[in-house]
Amino acid sequence: GAAMLRGAGAVLRRAASLHSQGQASGAGSPQPLEPWLLRCLVCPLSKRPLRYEAATNELINDELGIAYPIIDGIPTMIPEAARSTQKRPPAEVPEQP
């Protein structure tokens, strides 16, 4: 409840402070996500837990096939910011007589 919100607020304030001091990592060196924070986060669309993918520094919803980016250590949980993780099949070419 309230303690969790205070903890999340502290993490966000720390990230903002590091960013303003020029110490935040850029896209080339992602910051690892706090394990306790990952347990609290759910997909805003499905309300299901997310999986952290260190290789891409994203939070993955395998059920919906989308990935939310983590920018400067802060998860961007906006559905419009998510990318599709599913490969699209090639468009079918209609047969010609």
Side-chain angles (χ1 to χ4, degrees), residues 8-22:
V11 168
L12 293 176
R13 282 191 300 277
R14 180 176 173 268
S17 172
L18 289 174
H19 184 72
S20 67
Q21 295 171 8

Side-chain angles (χ1 to χ4, degrees), residues 34-93:
E34 297 286 339
W36 67 267
L37 184 58
L38 181 58
R39 289 190 300 269
C40 299
L41 296 175
V42 296
C43 176
L45 298 174
S46 70
K47 309 298 187 245
R48 307 279 285 193
L50 296 163
R51 174 176 59 84
Y52 175 65
E53 180 61 51
T56 57
N57 197 37
E58 295 174 317
L59 294 173
I60 310 292
N61 180 324
D62 291 313
E63 183 180 347
L64 296 180
I66 56 176
Y68 297 99
I70 299 173
I71 301 170
D72 289 332
I74 301 172
T76 305
M77 307 286 290
I78 302 168
E80 293 81 14
R83 71 171 181 86
S84 174
T85 60
Q86 299 175 346
K87 294 181 180 175
R88 294 192 174 115
E92 292 185 25
V93 178

